[in-house]
Amino acid sequence: MNLPSLRHCVAARRREKRTTKIEVKPVLLVALVAGVLMLCSAFAAEEAAPSQESAPALFNRGNALVREGKPGPAILAYERAQELAPRDPAIAVNLQAVRDTAGLAAPTPAWWQSAACALTMNEWAWSGSLALAFVCGAISLGRLLPTRLRQPVKALSAVCTVTVLISASALWLRWPELSRAVVLNSHVTALIAPAESAGPVFPLAEGEIVTAKKELRNFVLVCTADGRSGWVARAQIERVIPAPVPNRAG
Amino acid sequence: MNPPTAFQRFLLAGVCAISVLVAPAWSAPSQIIAQLDRLGLPLGESAQLAVTVKDSQPVEPNVPPVDGLEITPVGQQSSMQVINGAVFAEVRYVYQVTPNRSGSFTIPAIAVPGGGSTQPIAFHVDKIPTGQNSRSPRPGGSPLPAPSGTPAEEEAAWADAKGQSAFLRVVLPKQEITVGELIPVEIKACFPAGVAASLNGLPMLTGGAFALNKLDDNPEQTREVIDGQPYNVITWSSALSAVEAGDYPLNLELPVMVRVREKSKRGGGRNSFKDFFGDASPFDDSVVDDFFDQVTEKPLALHSDGALLRIQPLPVQGRPPDFSGAVGKFDVSTEASVIRAVTGDPITLKMKITGQGNFDRVATNGLASSAGWKSYKPNARFEPADREGFAGTKTFEQAIVPTRAGPSEIPALSFSYFDPDTRSYVTKTTSPIPIEIVPGSAIASALVPSTTPAMARATDGLVPDHPETGRVSSLSPVVLAPWFLMTNALMAAATAIGLLVRRWRQLRANDTERVRAAAASAAVREAVSEMDESIKNRNSVGFFHAARRAVAERLAERWSVPASRVTLAEIQARLNGSGENICALFKRGDEVAYSHEEVTASELTQWRANISQQLAHL
């Protein structure tokens, strides 16, 4: 038996084995069950998640707080409402109005950050996740497809791969937003160290947006938009996203 | 048997329904509970016996007389409940139990006619402790109560020269009050001038029928002349309320620390200086005696005279549905934050209740939601006008949202209270507040600048509240959820592992040496199998043909040549005389093939073992 005939023989036997072992229907069934389980766990986790809010309720709360003369908590409420409904113009208008009244400048993001803000973090996450699922499915089950469908699926997989990369990049760019916090009280002073007796560094305005870098006991290391850092008491600021946020680096 | 007619079924259903409604009243016997507020008391004091009778028609219990006890009814309190159509009444009969002697007593079971009975109650009455005075008024009917709680000797020791002692006095504006009514009260602790005493606490109630508002830690201190004698008076101003109907003594107690001067032994015996110097002794002086006296501090308690107060219950008849327990005199007014508003924009409605009384029971539900108004729960704030919290203003702020445009008015609000002077319920109603409600878009066009999105804004520059609360969702993005991260990581990892496995298989498939070895092994296995089959069939030709093929496949793999090139000449040339067994096999095979010789089974088996050995060596 010569070598080409041997190869042909072995390849034919392998094809025969594959077609006999892998059945299309069970694979699709397993994929369907996995997808359903994923959706169920997503809904269950959504229901059980803490800090459940609605954007209109937060918006109305912000209005009430503005009328009570509490711009800091009002800005926090508007920021949270904007996290849930970023395309609601009423929230942006009132947030700008209360910032104007309090003499606070609105944060001006760079162009790449604005591009990353085209979708919400959840939208980026879901689009990236679905694109990843398509790519994985195409890689795993592509050989089971008819030959005429393989080329379109390959093209679509390439598009999905690009989508995954773009989504990951957008999430990476917007990750610092998860550490944003709002100064709740007036006359807040950032300290040089996390201690009551530490010397003051700079004052913070009520309603100012800061980035929480690190927490130590009852103090939080914050960084302002102009790059200044100092420690403030935990009770004087509140994160826009209440959940603890891991560092982007890891 | 004929089926029941419609009338019979209706009659049966009616009987069943009436039975269900009436059965609880018939089946439930009268419940009676007796409680004594204290199971041990000193002689001279009274205990309170409360007998509660629960029944549809309660009757007064028969309290049997007890030797050595005076059991006097002081009042009763009734309440009524309707549950599932059954009426349950509860009457609480209150008795004052005053022992005439010390010892152990047992109040026997108290029964109601046709009902149950209570458990006997045993309690003990102690003798008056040494040094404790009875709280009964002093003989002679002096208007000033005795300094109760002071030992007789010490009383004499720290009373001043004229026999006056410290006492506690409670000044009330009236002796008859209503349950829940708040009345101003002054508590005066009077100490004779010159007596050294300090407070060891604040005055406190010793009975359960009254409640006293918080007392000031810094009471007012004055000097007064009472019955011609100077007193240092400490006055607390507060408010008192009654919690139970009936006749109850108002007992207060004030712990004090008194500095008592104890006579020295020298003072107790004869004055030796006086003995020595006679009546003209220069040491016959109280100053000299005081010098040798010892001063010690004694904790004592001053008690009030226990004046009996009559507490009237709140009448049940005529009680307004919105009555919240407020007793006093109040005025009500309302005001709105704006007179022109936008639909959907909240308005603050303030309801002010001003007056005197128990403001802690002043409550209102405010404006109820209706077709034109959506209302929220009001918040209350109290601003007292005096130190006692007896007078002041309670303000209820309520957010209301107009839902319909057009000329309108905020409806009138009402507030009900009980006036203890007229002993009647009073309901005061405010006037409706006219207000103009305009649609949200009407104001929007005038207020919204051209640079901002076209959106309705209220007068404060804010876009009005959203009428709907919307879908609730988590603030935390899904990318932080562990399940999301885990799912995506598993998906990516599984795909990566699958790609690696596929690549490894491709590499193995492209390895020609491995493929050739596998093919040769398969061919050898197939030939050996044919050999075994030939032995079984006694097919000598087939056996040797298969044996030659097996050896040739193995040698071809070893020499990397096609199996067709493995001939006897090639074997002899390559093995160079070392493959005698293989050569013998090939020769024997040729002989059998050409001669068609029948080889015995034993020989074939021997060749089979020999070939297996050779294949293993190759």
Side-chain angles (χ1 to χ4, degrees):
Chain A
M1 189 181 286
N2 58 10
L3 195 59
S5 63
L6 269 176
R7 280 183 183 171
H8 181 72
C9 173
V10 171
R13 185 170 293 178
R14 191 169 292 151
R15 272 201 300 276
E16 186 184 355
K17 280 183 182 175
R18 189 176 294 126
T19 49
T20 52
K21 280 187 179 176
I22 301 175
E23 293 292 337
V24 177
K25 283 182 181 176
V27 168
L28 290 178
L29 188 65
V30 168
L32 183 67
V33 169
V36 169
L37 284 177
M38 184 178 164
L39 286 175
C40 288
S41 64
F43 283 121
E46 178 74 15
E47 289 298 319
S51 64
Q52 297 263 336
E53 298 277 6
S54 83
L58 286 166
F59 175 76
N60 296 350
R61 190 187 303 165
N63 283 356
L65 289 166
V66 170
R67 293 187 184 104
E68 287 179 17
K70 298 175 180 172
I75 288 175
L76 176 67
Y78 287 138
E79 287 281 353
R80 286 181 172 173
Q82 210 165 32
E83 287 288 334
L84 295 177
R87 297 181 192 91
D88 187 347
I91 301 172
V93 168
N94 282 10
L95 185 56
Q96 185 61 42
V98 68
R99 278 198 174 120
D100 291 344
T101 307
L104 296 168
T108 51
W111 67 267
W112 61 83
Q113 284 174 325
S114 300
C117 291
L119 298 178
T120 67
M121 291 191 77
N122 277 349
E123 288 165 349
W124 280 124
W126 278 114
S127 59
S129 180
L130 291 176
L132 179 65
F134 185 86
V135 172
C136 293
I139 290 173
S140 304
L141 307 173
R143 285 172 178 263
L144 301 176
L145 293 172
T147 312
R148 60 186 173 81
L149 289 180
R150 287 185 186 175
Q151 199 57 33
V153 167
K154 274 186 182 175
L156 208 52
S157 296
V159 173
C160 286
T161 305
V162 174
T163 305
V164 170
L165 294 175
I166 291 175
S167 299
S169 304
L171 288 172
W172 188 81
L173 284 171
R174 293 189 63 175
W175 201 261
E177 287 182 23
L178 300 176
S179 301
R180 288 188 313 151
V182 179
V183 179
L184 294 178
N185 307 320
S186 56
H187 309 298
V188 176
T189 304
L191 305 175
I192 199 167
E196 296 283 354
S197 56
V201 185
F202 55 88
L204 286 165
E206 182 176 2
E208 188 174 348
I209 298 286
V210 295
T211 304
K213 294 282 186 186
K214 190 163 54 174
E215 295 189 5
L216 188 65
R217 295 188 296 275
N218 288 329
F219 285 87
V220 183
L221 177 64
V222 299
C223 182
T224 60
D226 53 3
R228 294 179 298 172
S229 293
W231 294 88
V232 295
R234 196 191 291 257
Q236 290 173 334
I237 64 167
E238 189 161 342
R239 287 176 184 269
V240 176
I241 306 295
V245 179
N247 291 330
R248 184 168 58 183
Chain B
M1 186 176 178
N2 294 331
T5 63
F7 175 74
Q8 286 172 330
R9 284 198 295 266
F10 178 76
L11 195 62
L12 183 64
V15 169
C16 290
I18 292 170
S19 302
V20 167
L21 290 174
V22 174
W26 282 346
S27 59
S30 298
Q31 283 187 323
I32 178 167
I33 302 165
Q35 286 180 321
L36 197 65
D37 66 341
R38 48 207 290 206
L39 298 177
L41 68 159
L43 185 62
E45 293 192 7
S46 300
Q48 181 180 297
L49 174 67
V51 182
T52 307
V53 181
K54 296 179 180 176
D55 198 355
S56 56
Q57 292 178 338
V59 292
E60 186 167 359
N62 299 321
V63 181
V66 182
D67 182 33
L69 294 180
E70 283 183 21
I71 303 177
T72 313
V74 292
Q76 67 182 54
Q77 187 178 8
S78 61
S79 61
M80 189 176 290
Q81 285 183 304
V82 179
I83 300 172
N84 291 333
V87 179
F88 295 95
E90 180 180 303
V91 181
R92 188 167 181 243
Y93 299 92
V94 182
Y95 302 87
Q96 188 172 13
V97 180
T98 309
N100 296 328
R101 57 174 173 81
S102 60
S104 296
F105 294 90
T106 300
I107 299 174
I110 301 169
V112 289
S117 62
T118 66
Q119 295 290 326
I121 302 173
F123 66 101
H124 191 76
V125 177
D126 298 324
K127 290 178 182 176
I128 301 175
T130 306
Q132 292 287 329
N133 282 350
S134 166
R135 287 191 293 119
S136 56
R138 285 192 297 185
S142 169
L144 295 179
S148 55
T150 58
E153 293 177 2
E154 289 171 3
E155 178 190 346
W158 69 288
D160 70 355
K162 298 196 174 143
Q164 293 296 330
S165 302
F167 59 90
L168 195 63
R169 176 181 281 180
V170 180
V171 180
L172 293 168
K174 53 186 180 181
Q175 300 298 313
E176 187 173 318
I177 60 176
T178 309
V179 170
E181 183 183 357
L182 198 69
I183 56 171
V185 61
E186 276 189 353
I187 304 164
K188 291 174 177 283
C190 305
F191 298 91
V195 169
S198 60
L199 298 179
N200 215 9
L202 292 172
M204 50 193 173
L205 287 167
T206 56
F210 300 95
L212 190 64
N213 280 11
K214 188 176 183 297
L215 294 171
D216 195 351
D217 289 335
N218 297 311
E220 184 184 2
Q221 296 190 31
T222 55
R223 193 175 180 87
E224 295 180 15
V225 176
I226 301 172
D227 286 351
Q229 299 299 324
Y231 278 85
N232 292 322
V233 180
I234 301 172
T235 306
W236 289 270
S237 297
S238 183
L240 183 82
S241 62
V243 296
E244 278 185 19
D247 294 342
Y248 292 101
L250 178 59
N251 292 317
L252 281 107
E253 184 181 275
L254 175 65
V256 294
M257 190 70 77
V258 181
R259 299 179 69 186
V260 179
R261 189 178 299 279
E262 293 180 344
K263 294 292 181 186
S264 65
K265 292 178 180 175
R266 171 183 174 270
R270 286 180 57 81
N271 190 336
S272 53
F273 291 97
K274 191 175 180 180
D275 292 344
F276 185 78
F277 290 102
D279 290 341
S281 167
F283 299 100
D284 185 16
D285 187 358
S286 62
V287 176
V288 177
D289 291 340
D290 290 348
F291 181 78
F292 291 99
D293 288 348
Q294 291 181 346
V295 177
T296 57
E297 288 193 331
K298 300 277 185 185
L300 299 170
L302 298 184
H303 292 270
S304 64
D305 60 349
L308 205 63
L309 287 184
R310 171 154 294 175
I311 305 168
Q312 298 280 359
L314 285 167
V316 178
Q317 279 194 340
R319 182 178 294 178
D322 62 338
F323 176 66
S324 60
V327 180
K329 287 180 180 295
F330 302 97
D331 281 323
V332 186
S333 64
T334 53
E335 61 183 42
S337 57
V338 292
I339 57 169
R340 189 166 179 261
V342 185
T343 53
D345 194 22
I347 303 166
T348 302
L349 176 64
K350 284 185 183 176
M351 182 179 186
K352 288 187 175 179
I353 299 175
T354 309
Q356 296 179 335
N358 55 347
F359 275 95
D360 59 329
R361 302 298 301 270
V362 171
T364 177
N365 291 326
L367 182 67
S369 291
S370 59
W373 297 95
K374 181 182 179 183
S375 62
Y376 297 88
K377 192 179 174 185
N379 295 320
R381 187 180 72 250
F382 177 58
E383 294 171 0
D386 53 10
R387 290 173 58 188
E388 297 81 30
F390 178 65
T393 301
K394 196 164 190 177
T395 306
F396 295 89
E397 285 190 1
Q398 185 182 22
I400 57 174
V401 181
T403 55
R404 281 198 304 222
S408 179
E409 61 181 22
I410 299 174
L413 299 177
S414 64
F415 172 70
S416 298
Y417 62 93
F418 181 76
D419 189 342
D421 292 344
T422 60
R423 291 209 53 76
S424 62
Y425 291 100
V426 179
T427 298
K428 291 204 170 178
T429 307
T430 64
S431 303
I433 303 173
I435 189 166
E436 185 184 354
I437 311 294
V438 297
S441 56
I443 280 186
S445 57
L447 291 176
V448 177
S450 58
T451 54
T452 57
M455 195 171 300
R457 290 204 199 188
T459 50
D460 52 6
L462 296 176
V463 179
D465 289 354
H466 290 321
E468 300 296 331
T469 53
R471 197 177 74 85
V472 172
S473 54
S474 174
L475 269 172
S476 183
V478 70
V479 75
L480 293 178
W483 65 266
F484 183 84
L485 296 172
M486 191 68 73
T487 306
N488 285 280
L490 282 177
M491 210 157 45
T495 307
I497 290 171
L499 284 175
L500 286 175
V501 169
R502 185 184 294 178
R503 180 66 185 153
W504 177 69
R505 282 184 175 176
Q506 281 178 351
L507 288 175
R508 277 169 59 89
N510 292 335
D511 185 355
T512 54
E513 292 295 327
R514 199 194 66 78
V515 170
R516 186 185 297 159
S521 297
V524 168
R525 277 197 302 275
E526 194 177 343
V528 169
S529 162
E530 281 182 22
M531 285 162 59
D532 293 338
E533 193 70 21
S534 299
I535 292 172
K536 203 180 290 178
N537 298 333
R538 302 289 300 276
N539 182 2
S540 306
V541 178
F543 174 83
F544 282 103
H545 179 73
R548 285 182 61 169
R549 190 153 58 87
V551 174
E553 288 286 351
R554 179 54 51 88
L555 290 173
E557 180 204 351
R558 188 175 168 186
W559 295 337
S560 297
V561 295
S564 57
R565 279 186 56 187
V566 180
T567 59
L568 182 60
E570 184 77 10
I571 293 169
Q572 287 172 339
R574 286 192 181 250
L575 296 181
N576 198 16
S578 60
E580 292 174 357
N581 290 332
I582 296 174
C583 292
L585 170 68
F586 273 67
K587 285 175 183 170
R588 181 66 176 150
D590 287 342
E591 286 173 11
V592 171
Y594 289 121
S595 65
H596 292 281
E597 177 188 348
E598 287 294 327
V599 183
T600 60
S602 59
E603 188 185 354
L604 289 179
T605 306
Q606 192 177 351
W607 276 111
R608 168 74 175 83
N610 189 13
I611 291 165
S612 296
Q613 194 178 0
Q614 293 297 320
L615 288 173
H617 285 157
L618 288 175

